[in-house]
Amino acid sequence: MSDHVYKKIELTGSSTRSIDDAISTAIAKASTTLRNLHWFEVTETRGQIEDGKVAYWQVTLKVGLRID
Amino acid sequence: MSDHVYKKIELTGSSTRSIDDAISTAIAKASTTLRNLHWFEVTETRGQIEDGKVAYWQVTLKVGLRID
Amino acid sequence: MSDHVYKKIELTGSSTRSIDDAISTAIAKASTTLRNLHWFEVTETRGQIEDGKVAYWQVTLKVGLRID
Amino acid sequence: MSDHVYKKIELTGSSTRSIDDAISTAIAKASTTLRNLHWFEVTETRGQIEDGKVAYWQVTLKVGLRID
Amino acid sequence: MSDHVYKKIELTGSSTRSIDDAISTAIAKASTTLRNLHWFEVTETRGQIEDGKVAYWQVTLKVGLRID
Amino acid sequence: MSDHVYKKIELTGSSTRSIDDAISTAIAKASTTLRNLHWFEVTETRGQIEDGKVAYWQVTLKVGLRID
Amino acid sequence: MSDHVYKKIELTGSSTRSIDDAISTAIAKASTTLRNLHWFEVTETRGQIEDGKVAYWQVTLKVGLRID
Amino acid sequence: MSDHVYKKIELTGSSTRSIDDAISTAIAKASTTLRNLHWFEVTETRGQIEDGKVAYWQVTLKVGLRID
Amino acid sequence: MSDHVYKKIELTGSSTRSIDDAISTAIAKASTTLRNLHWFEVTETRGQIEDGKVAYWQVTLKVGLRID
Amino acid sequence: MSDHVYKKIELTGSSTRSIDDAISTAIAKASTTLRNLHWFEVTETRGQIEDGKVAYWQVTLKVGLRID
Amino acid sequence: MSDHVYKKIELTGSSTRSIDDAISTAIAKASTTLRNLHWFEVTETRGQIEDGKVAYWQVTLKVGLRID
Amino acid sequence: MSDHVYKKIELTGSSTRSIDDAISTAIAKASTTLRNLHWFEVTETRGQIEDGKVAYWQVTLKVGLRID
């Protein structure tokens, strides 16, 4: 990391399966248009409830990408 | 959501299996006595340790419910 | 807990599998050298990204241990 | 306040008009079923967007009520 | 705690004597109508001043109670 | 929201009239170049003072937009 | 701002009308005795409730003033 | 409080006896030169240690005073 | 303090008597094995409830010690 | 600032020399592709360690730019 | 510090040279009119940008002074 | 980092020269007794004042070290 500049963007991914999957979904989506994704940091974990169950998980994360 | 008022309550669920399951447990329990649960936000993730393992996971969440 | 003093230490565990596994890894490692681990609190969830996927999860937690 | 105990509840009100009106809506609704509301503290201000405009404002507040 | 769900409520107690007494007052009051109070966490310590002295102490705490 | 990924951007709008108007200004401006704006969250409220009056209000908000 | 030192003071203004008016009240009052007020930052929004309505709004702000 | 403006100042009091006494000391001192002190909020509790004991307690508080 | 390095450790003390006593207990315990304790900062105040009373107080503090 | 809208982006710069230089590096890099950069706010200061020395400094900052 | 009361004031200093210099500037300025300055705590680091460079650094700090 | 566990310790370094030097001092000191220091995060920047000047800078940082 010693001679690069990084940008952090903030994304919210969702999944009907799990917290981990919501994160993976956001990263997979971002990587289709952005290159050089390096790390992420979770900033918020939420979800929607239907019929007494978690209908889907929503996780917000900051993603760091190197700008060349 | 445009013409409703929501109340947020704070719950702690626990599970011997996973973070996600502790959340689901809290929501399932709450839904037996409360109607109109809409969303949740995780505020704290903790757990108890026994014999070098996570004995159970404890997750605190705020749950939003519509009050009619 | 009524007549003990506890110390909290801060650890970061990692895992290629899941958030829950990164926590378990940190606790298993700590328990090989420290006795009387009682509870943990998650303070940060991060990870490294490679090829549009989470390469490994990194979770920081505070672990409380009783000092006799 | 010297010899009372107060309870704080957390509410989210919404309004198509303004931040102030979303707060008033939450308080008016709460006062139909709860007595002795004394004060409030705003904890979050959000809103929904439609067609480049604020469709409705959503304000979360803690409301303090005296329990006799 | 392994198979229970807990609810946290937020209370403000007051006392003309001390911080500790304001906490005890809130808990004593809550326990007259609520069962299964387990723990508390202090979130705010305030007070009112009269004639250059603390007239009464006001302490806000979250109280965890088991919901069966 | 179940199968989308959202991006949050941070904007500061200003207005000589009111807090609400500074928010509307930022959203109106953003919507001229960005599609699919869904919600906002206020993160900071400031302003400039001239002659003992608020000369203009400055409100910072995070805006969530769906990325298809 | 390049060669000045600023002091921040913290004020709470109140108004029976609106959040914006409570801010303006605090600034107008401060400007009667202090010169060179430049900017403000809102740190807390509260209010008192009477008869199911907001009786008055109370807004705390930090005000920056240049000290020559 | 409806038609006043308040100023908050930040003080640190100390005491060799207790947390409560450190607060009272700060307020007593402030009231010798300032009028109209109304309330306080504790923002930090610290202390100095000597010979395995608390040598003195240091409590920082914000004090609200009415400016007429 | 000008030419030393300090380490901060985090401890939780408990007491059946008071907040102040829980702090003193943690410091007394730490000083039996650690030298050069200088100061502490309270980070959390909690407690356990039994029969509508505080059964014991639990206070978490960071303790600064000089490392020579 | 009265009739503009600003966007804040988050960058991490690094430098082998100093905190200040890591900030300047991030800003210089950003200004090669972005116009109208106005101000920055530091949100995190970190670094990497090698051989008991700071190998490089990493500073994260939010940068405000006017969008015309 | 055992038998004194301290006041904290909040200042913003600026400098075209460095973060450290902006702090020194604020303290030098404050010491021309205030006696007994003891310590400071940095609360915010910002700056203005011109032509892809830091035009000046702005650092906000709380300064503790003894009131006799 | 993929298959290691890290521990974070918290240190305060001081220097009469600069913020950067206070950090370097803490790290140099820690590295005389601890191996495998990897990174640091600044958590607090303070200092002592004498004669209207910064007498020494005190910076608190968390240092991450690999535990094998």
Side-chain angles (χ1 to χ4, degrees):
Chain A
M1 196 191 219
S2 62
D3 48 356
H4 294 296
V5 174
Y6 291 77
K7 184 178 180 183
K8 287 191 194 179
I9 57 170
E10 196 165 19
L11 300 173
T12 300
S14 62
S15 164
T16 56
R17 281 186 296 280
S18 68
I19 290 173
D20 292 21
D21 193 55
I23 295 169
S24 296
T25 298
I27 291 169
K29 176 75 182 179
S31 68
T32 61
T33 54
L34 296 165
R35 289 181 306 137
N36 296 319
L37 306 182
H38 274 236
W39 85 92
F40 68 91
E41 316 158 9
V42 173
T43 57
E44 198 178 34
T45 303
R46 303 168 65 110
Q48 293 297 313
I49 302 170
E50 286 171 17
D51 298 329
K53 291 197 177 61
V54 179
Y56 48 95
W57 308 80
Q58 299 162 301
V59 185
T60 300
L61 51 162
K62 291 193 178 182
V63 177
L65 57 145
R66 202 181 66 237
I67 51 179
D68 293 320
Chain B
M1 197 190 217
S2 63
D3 47 355
H4 294 296
V5 174
Y6 292 78
K7 184 179 180 182
K8 286 191 194 179
I9 59 170
E10 196 166 18
L11 301 174
T12 300
S14 63
S15 163
T16 56
R17 280 186 297 280
S18 69
I19 290 173
D20 291 21
D21 193 54
I23 295 169
S24 295
T25 298
I27 289 169
K29 178 73 182 180
S31 67
T32 61
T33 54
L34 295 165
R35 291 182 304 137
N36 296 321
L37 305 182
H38 274 236
W39 84 93
F40 68 92
E41 314 159 9
V42 173
T43 57
E44 197 179 36
T45 303
R46 303 168 65 108
Q48 292 298 311
I49 302 169
E50 286 172 17
D51 299 328
K53 291 197 177 62
V54 178
Y56 48 94
W57 308 82
Q58 299 163 301
V59 184
T60 300
L61 49 163
K62 291 193 177 181
V63 177
L65 57 146
R66 201 182 65 235
I67 52 180
D68 292 320
Chain C
M1 196 192 219
S2 63
D3 48 355
H4 294 297
V5 174
Y6 292 78
K7 184 179 179 181
K8 287 192 194 178
I9 58 170
E10 196 166 18
L11 300 173
T12 300
S14 62
S15 164
T16 55
R17 281 187 295 281
S18 68
I19 291 174
D20 292 20
D21 193 54
I23 295 170
S24 296
T25 297
I27 290 169
K29 177 75 182 178
S31 67
T32 61
T33 54
L34 296 165
R35 291 182 304 137
N36 296 320
L37 305 182
H38 274 237
W39 85 93
F40 68 92
E41 314 157 11
V42 173
T43 57
E44 196 179 36
T45 302
R46 301 169 67 106
Q48 293 298 312
I49 302 169
E50 287 172 16
D51 298 329
K53 291 197 177 62
V54 178
Y56 47 95
W57 307 81
Q58 299 163 301
V59 185
T60 300
L61 50 163
K62 292 192 176 182
V63 177
L65 56 145
R66 200 181 66 236
I67 52 179
D68 292 321
Chain D
M1 195 192 221
S2 63
D3 47 355
H4 293 296
V5 174
Y6 291 77
K7 184 178 180 182
K8 285 191 194 179
I9 58 170
E10 195 166 18
L11 301 174
T12 300
S14 62
S15 163
T16 56
R17 281 187 295 280
S18 67
I19 290 174
D20 292 21
D21 192 54
I23 294 170
S24 296
T25 298
I27 290 169
K29 177 76 181 177
S31 67
T32 61
T33 54
L34 295 166
R35 290 182 304 138
N36 297 319
L37 305 183
H38 274 236
W39 85 93
F40 69 91
E41 314 157 10
V42 173
T43 59
E44 197 179 35
T45 303
R46 302 168 66 108
Q48 293 299 312
I49 301 169
E50 287 171 17
D51 298 329
K53 291 197 177 61
V54 178
Y56 46 94
W57 307 81
Q58 297 163 302
V59 184
T60 300
L61 49 164
K62 292 193 177 183
V63 177
L65 57 145
R66 202 182 66 235
I67 52 179
D68 293 320
Chain E
M1 196 192 219
S2 62
D3 47 357
H4 294 296
V5 173
Y6 292 78
K7 183 178 180 182
K8 286 192 195 179
I9 58 171
E10 196 165 17
L11 301 173
T12 300
S14 63
S15 163
T16 56
R17 282 187 295 279
S18 68
I19 290 174
D20 292 20
D21 193 55
I23 295 170
S24 295
T25 297
I27 291 169
K29 177 75 182 179
S31 66
T32 60
T33 54
L34 296 165
R35 290 182 307 136
N36 296 319
L37 306 182
H38 274 236
W39 84 93
F40 69 92
E41 314 158 10
V42 173
T43 57
E44 196 178 37
T45 303
R46 302 167 66 108
Q48 293 298 313
I49 302 170
E50 288 171 17
D51 299 329
K53 291 197 178 61
V54 178
Y56 47 94
W57 308 81
Q58 298 163 301
V59 185
T60 300
L61 49 164
K62 292 193 177 181
V63 177
L65 57 145
R66 201 181 66 236
I67 52 179
D68 292 319
Chain F
M1 195 192 221
S2 63
D3 47 356
H4 293 297
V5 174
Y6 291 78
K7 184 177 180 183
K8 287 191 194 178
I9 59 170
E10 196 166 18
L11 300 174
T12 300
S14 63
S15 164
T16 56
R17 281 187 295 279
S18 68
I19 291 174
D20 292 21
D21 192 55
I23 295 170
S24 296
T25 297
I27 290 169
K29 176 76 181 180
S31 67
T32 61
T33 54
L34 295 165
R35 289 183 306 136
N36 296 319
L37 305 182
H38 275 236
W39 85 93
F40 68 91
E41 314 159 10
V42 173
T43 58
E44 197 178 36
T45 303
R46 303 168 66 107
Q48 293 298 312
I49 301 170
E50 286 172 17
D51 298 329
K53 292 197 176 62
V54 179
Y56 47 95
W57 308 81
Q58 298 163 301
V59 184
T60 300
L61 49 163
K62 291 192 178 181
V63 177
L65 56 147
R66 200 181 67 235
I67 51 179
D68 292 320
Chain G
M1 196 191 219
S2 63
D3 48 354
H4 294 297
V5 173
Y6 292 77
K7 184 178 181 182
K8 286 190 194 179
I9 58 170
E10 196 166 19
L11 301 174
T12 301
S14 61
S15 164
T16 55
R17 281 186 295 279
S18 68
I19 291 174
D20 292 21
D21 192 56
I23 295 169
S24 295
T25 298
I27 290 169
K29 177 75 182 180
S31 67
T32 61
T33 55
L34 295 165
R35 290 182 306 138
N36 296 319
L37 305 182
H38 275 236
W39 85 93
F40 69 92
E41 314 158 9
V42 173
T43 58
E44 196 179 36
T45 303
R46 304 168 65 108
Q48 293 298 313
I49 301 169
E50 286 171 19
D51 298 330
K53 291 197 177 61
V54 179
Y56 47 96
W57 308 82
Q58 298 162 302
V59 184
T60 300
L61 50 164
K62 292 193 177 181
V63 177
L65 57 146
R66 200 181 67 235
I67 52 180
D68 292 321
Chain H
M1 194 191 223
S2 62
D3 47 356
H4 294 297
V5 173
Y6 292 78
K7 184 178 179 182
K8 287 192 194 179
I9 58 171
E10 195 165 19
L11 300 173
T12 300
S14 63
S15 164
T16 56
R17 281 187 296 279
S18 68
I19 290 174
D20 292 22
D21 192 55
I23 295 169
S24 295
T25 297
I27 290 169
K29 178 75 181 179
S31 67
T32 62
T33 54
L34 295 166
R35 291 181 306 137
N36 295 321
L37 306 181
H38 274 236
W39 85 93
F40 69 92
E41 314 159 10
V42 173
T43 57
E44 196 178 37
T45 303
R46 303 168 65 108
Q48 292 299 311
I49 302 170
E50 287 171 16
D51 299 329
K53 291 196 177 64
V54 178
Y56 47 95
W57 308 81
Q58 299 163 301
V59 185
T60 300
L61 50 164
K62 291 193 177 180
V63 177
L65 57 146
R66 201 182 65 236
I67 51 179
D68 292 320
Chain I
M1 196 192 219
S2 62
D3 49 355
H4 295 296
V5 173
Y6 291 77
K7 184 179 180 182
K8 287 191 194 180
I9 58 170
E10 196 166 19
L11 300 173
T12 300
S14 62
S15 164
T16 55
R17 281 186 296 279
S18 67
I19 290 174
D20 291 21
D21 193 55
I23 294 170
S24 295
T25 298
I27 290 169
K29 177 75 182 179
S31 68
T32 62
T33 55
L34 295 166
R35 290 182 306 137
N36 295 320
L37 305 182
H38 274 236
W39 85 93
F40 69 91
E41 312 158 11
V42 173
T43 57
E44 196 178 35
T45 303
R46 302 168 65 108
Q48 293 297 313
I49 302 169
E50 286 171 18
D51 298 329
K53 290 196 177 63
V54 178
Y56 47 95
W57 307 81
Q58 299 162 301
V59 185
T60 300
L61 49 164
K62 292 194 176 181
V63 178
L65 58 145
R66 200 181 67 236
I67 52 180
D68 292 321
Chain J
M1 194 190 221
S2 62
D3 47 357
H4 294 296
V5 173
Y6 292 78
K7 183 177 180 183
K8 286 191 194 180
I9 59 170
E10 196 166 18
L11 300 174
T12 300
S14 63
S15 164
T16 56
R17 282 187 295 280
S18 68
I19 290 174
D20 293 20
D21 192 54
I23 295 169
S24 295
T25 298
I27 290 168
K29 177 74 182 179
S31 67
T32 61
T33 54
L34 296 165
R35 290 183 304 138
N36 296 320
L37 305 182
H38 274 237
W39 85 92
F40 68 91
E41 314 159 10
V42 173
T43 58
E44 197 178 35
T45 303
R46 303 168 65 108
Q48 292 299 312
I49 302 169
E50 287 171 18
D51 299 328
K53 291 196 178 62
V54 179
Y56 47 94
W57 308 81
Q58 299 162 301
V59 184
T60 300
L61 50 164
K62 292 193 177 180
V63 177
L65 57 145
R66 201 181 66 235
I67 51 179
D68 291 321
Chain K
M1 196 190 221
S2 63
D3 47 356
H4 294 296
V5 174
Y6 292 77
K7 184 178 179 181
K8 286 192 196 180
I9 58 170
E10 196 166 19
L11 301 173
T12 300
S14 63
S15 164
T16 56
R17 281 187 296 279
S18 68
I19 290 174
D20 292 21
D21 192 55
I23 295 170
S24 295
T25 297
I27 290 169
K29 176 75 182 179
S31 68
T32 61
T33 54
L34 296 165
R35 290 182 306 136
N36 296 319
L37 306 182
H38 274 236
W39 85 92
F40 68 92
E41 315 159 11
V42 173
T43 58
E44 197 178 35
T45 303
R46 304 167 66 108
Q48 293 298 313
I49 302 170
E50 289 172 15
D51 298 329
K53 292 197 177 60
V54 179
Y56 47 95
W57 309 81
Q58 299 162 301
V59 184
T60 300
L61 49 163
K62 292 193 176 180
V63 177
L65 56 146
R66 201 180 67 234
I67 52 179
D68 291 319
Chain L
M1 196 191 220
S2 62
D3 48 356
H4 294 297
V5 173
Y6 292 77
K7 183 178 179 181
K8 285 191 195 179
I9 59 171
E10 195 166 19
L11 301 173
T12 301
S14 62
S15 163
T16 56
R17 280 186 297 278
S18 68
I19 290 173
D20 292 20
D21 193 54
I23 295 169
S24 296
T25 298
I27 290 168
K29 177 75 181 178
S31 67
T32 62
T33 54
L34 296 165
R35 290 182 306 136
N36 296 321
L37 306 181
H38 274 236
W39 85 93
F40 68 91
E41 314 158 9
V42 173
T43 58
E44 196 178 36
T45 302
R46 303 169 65 108
Q48 292 298 312
I49 301 169
E50 287 171 17
D51 298 330
K53 291 198 177 62
V54 179
Y56 46 95
W57 307 83
Q58 299 164 300
V59 185
T60 299
L61 49 165
K62 292 194 176 181
V63 177
L65 56 145
R66 202 183 64 235
I67 53 179
D68 291 320

